[in-house]
Amino acid sequence: MASTEDLALDLEELKQLHTIAKRPRVVSLISSQIRNLEELTKEAASAPAPHTPAPVSAVSTATPISSAPKAASNPLLTYATLGSFSWDQDNDKLKIYVSLEGVDQEKIEADFKPMSFDIKFHDVQGKNYRYAVPKLNKEIVPEKCKVLVKPKRVVVTLVKASKGNWLDLHFKEDKLKPSLDKEKDPMAGIMDLMKNMYEEGDEEMKRTIAKAWSDARSGKTADPLKGYP
């Protein structure tokens, strides 16, 4: 298992990558890894000191060790994250294909929730793997979702809570939706909206918004969107 210092260094490097990543899927994957490492770091930091067993008498009888897998109950296991996958969908469900050989169906720990899932694959050729999506694009029906092991891959089936097409597997914020926080300054949401429109608009839109913004700052109008067609 990686030391606390190694985990901290990995976490720091991932955070640096997060600041320069631009593609939404890459940002989402890096964010997921950051959360996983933060959890592992906390677990490693809070782990109790190793217990030194008392000397065993020479005449005592050895206690047999159970061969049953105990991976799911050990919070200090380390996992390699699975980031390579493909997926497709129909109107009712979505299937994710993860390339991973040597998986034992009995050693899979799957946790499905309405807006997320976390799947752990234990003892796969001597390693543990993890595949998780912290926030899905839309809701699923946890009790109907399943994981099926194939010879060279694993198929994760997500049953949609409502029929329809998903544009992406991961949830994405709507940049053009203003904040509805009641405790926030009402004008702040509008200014954020204008900023996003300015960054994503063409030259004509930028000129129009820049003029409206300038007028608002100079006191010519109380509404920064006034004059925007």
Side-chain angles (χ1 to χ4, degrees):
M1 186 184 72
S3 67
T4 303
E5 183 178 353
D6 288 336
L7 290 174
L9 292 174
D10 291 345
L11 182 59
E12 181 62 26
E13 186 166 334
L14 274 177
K15 288 182 177 179
Q16 292 177 4
L17 290 174
H18 188 272
T19 62
I20 62 175
K22 296 181 179 180
R23 295 182 60 80
R25 181 168 294 181
V26 175
V27 173
S28 178
L29 287 173
I30 294 177
S31 297
S32 177
Q33 297 314 306
I34 289 175
R35 283 190 290 272
N36 291 341
L37 276 179
E38 287 177 340
E39 291 178 5
L40 289 173
T41 301
K42 291 178 180 178
E43 291 171 354
S46 61
H51 175 66
T52 303
V56 180
S57 171
V59 297
S60 63
T61 304
T63 303
I65 301 174
S66 173
S67 60
K70 296 183 179 180
S73 61
N74 189 344
L76 298 181
L77 285 175
T78 57
Y79 296 88
T81 301
L82 295 168
S84 178
F85 64 92
S86 60
W87 62 282
D88 62 19
Q89 63 179 316
D90 57 28
N91 206 37
D92 300 303
K93 59 184 176 296
L94 184 146
K95 290 187 176 181
I96 304 170
Y97 305 96
V98 181
S99 297
L100 187 62
E101 296 184 45
V103 178
D104 186 343
Q105 185 81 48
E106 299 300 319
K107 295 183 179 180
I108 296 176
E109 181 185 354
D111 181 19
F112 293 99
K113 295 180 180 179
M115 282 296 292
S116 66
F117 68 80
D118 186 357
I119 304 173
K120 297 174 182 177
F121 305 93
H122 298 117
D123 194 19
V124 181
Q125 299 178 10
K127 293 184 178 181
N128 300 313
Y129 294 89
R130 186 176 190 176
Y131 177 50
V133 175
K135 193 169 186 180
L136 291 164
N137 187 285
K138 296 181 181 179
E139 286 194 23
I140 59 175
V141 183
E143 60 270 19
K144 293 184 179 181
C145 298
K146 60 183 180 180
V147 181
L148 181 63
V149 175
K150 297 286 187 178
K152 293 187 177 182
R153 65 182 182 181
V154 176
V155 181
V156 181
T157 301
L158 305 179
V159 178
K160 300 176 181 178
S162 57
K163 296 183 178 181
N165 185 62
W166 288 22
L167 297 179
D168 202 316
L169 181 61
H170 298 262
F171 175 81
K172 291 183 178 180
E173 284 288 351
D174 185 356
K175 285 187 175 183
L176 295 179
K177 185 177 181 180
S179 172
L180 297 179
D181 187 350
K182 293 181 180 179
E183 297 181 0
K184 189 175 181 180
D185 181 357
M187 291 300 295
I190 297 177
M191 301 304 284
D192 289 342
L193 172 61
M194 288 181 63
K195 181 178 178 181
N196 289 325
M197 291 172 64
Y198 182 86
E199 291 175 350
E200 299 177 5
D202 54 22
E203 290 303 319
E204 183 178 355
M205 179 181 290
K206 289 182 179 181
R207 284 195 298 270
T208 304
I209 294 176
K211 183 178 184 303
W213 204 324
S214 177
D215 289 346
R217 286 174 177 268
S218 63
K220 293 181 180 181
T221 175
D223 183 0
L225 290 179
K226 186 174 181 181
Y228 179 72

